[in-house]
Amino acid sequence: MASNLVSYIAQMLTPDMIARIASVLGLDSSKVQSAVAAAVPAILAGLTGVAAQPGGAQKIADSAKQQSGSLDNLMGMLAGGDQVSLAQNGSQIISSLFCAKDGSALATAIGGVSGMDQRASGSLLATLAPLVMGGLAQQSGGDLSANGIAGLLASQKDNIAAALPSGVRDLLGGTGLLGSLGAPAQTAAASASQATRSAAASASAVGGAANAQRQQRPPRQPRRATGFIG
């Protein structure tokens, strides 16, 4: 079983693979890299929520069984010009595991933190979905039962919560997709919120002190002429 599922999947997305995905999407590689860093834990967070629903873990397990070779095949599919089939496969995974509203929320959150439009972030989400499911399959320890998948995702809650960018947590906070992460996600969100408040308070204090200092300064006196008029 993976010690850190997010890192394991992210390591599969090499710079060359990121460049190929960026080329397909017609985007800059750095923007795609940022989007991928947000998308992988966001998808896993959503799957953790699905696994907690009645019958959800079985749906994920069935999908993972079908994608067990995705990690090996993804690069070949991209290099061979078969990215359309890959994205179509990923779209089916997203639609089968998430409701339309949640799938749209994931795409919106990924686009929001990376600067992608909805179309591009949705395409990236579909491209990555088979890879994430393949990662689950390979790191399940051979147990692709509903209980095995549920146990794997449950064991990764801390890692998933830690990997979620604060912007993604904010954008998905009201959707219910992060609810199953429980305390780890709430603690991370609270820490990020506290850091933001502390930074704002510090900036306000510095600004207030500067204003007070300016107000306390006596007005400048006009300089007296020292020369003689001949």
Side-chain angles (χ1 to χ4, degrees):
M1 187 173 291
S3 58
N4 189 322
L5 184 59
V6 178
S7 296
Y8 176 79
I9 295 173
Q11 288 171 1
M12 301 298 103
L13 291 158
T14 63
D16 185 41
M17 186 178 289
I18 293 293
R20 291 182 184 277
I21 295 174
S23 177
V24 170
L25 296 178
L27 297 172
D28 181 75
S29 292
S30 62
K31 181 175 289 188
V32 174
Q33 179 67 63
S34 173
V36 167
V40 171
I43 295 171
L44 289 171
L47 291 177
T48 302
V50 173
Q53 300 170 4
Q58 186 61 59
K59 290 198 301 182
I60 298 173
D62 292 342
S63 181
K65 291 175 185 177
Q66 298 174 9
Q67 304 301 324
S68 58
S70 291
L71 292 176
D72 297 328
N73 296 337
L74 180 58
M75 178 63 81
M77 294 178 76
L78 288 171
D82 199 17
Q83 60 269 15
V84 173
S85 296
L86 182 68
Q88 288 176 344
N89 184 17
S91 294
Q92 292 174 356
I93 293 173
I94 297 297
S95 62
S96 67
L97 297 178
F98 300 102
C99 66
K101 181 179 179 181
D102 287 346
S104 178
L106 284 170
T108 299
I110 294 166
V113 298
S114 65
M116 287 183 175
D117 60 32
Q118 185 80 6
R119 180 197 62 79
S121 61
S123 295
L124 178 67
L125 187 67
T127 300
L128 293 178
L131 176 69
V132 172
M133 300 309 297
L136 280 174
Q138 290 202 9
Q139 295 301 298
S140 65
D143 185 359
L144 285 174
S145 66
N147 288 338
I149 289 296
L152 173 58
L153 288 170
S155 72
Q156 295 296 314
K157 285 183 179 181
D158 287 356
N159 293 329
I160 295 169
L164 277 172
S166 59
V168 173
R169 287 195 297 268
D170 293 341
L171 290 169
L172 294 179
T175 65
L177 283 167
L178 305 184
S180 292
L181 293 183
Q186 295 172 9
T187 299
S191 297
S193 178
Q194 180 60 43
T196 300
R197 288 195 298 268
S198 297
S202 297
S204 177
V206 171
N211 287 333
Q213 187 177 20
R214 284 194 296 268
Q215 291 173 2
Q216 291 173 2
R217 289 176 182 170
R220 289 187 176 183
Q221 297 297 326
R223 296 181 63 182
R224 299 178 62 183
T226 56
F228 294 93
I229 300 176

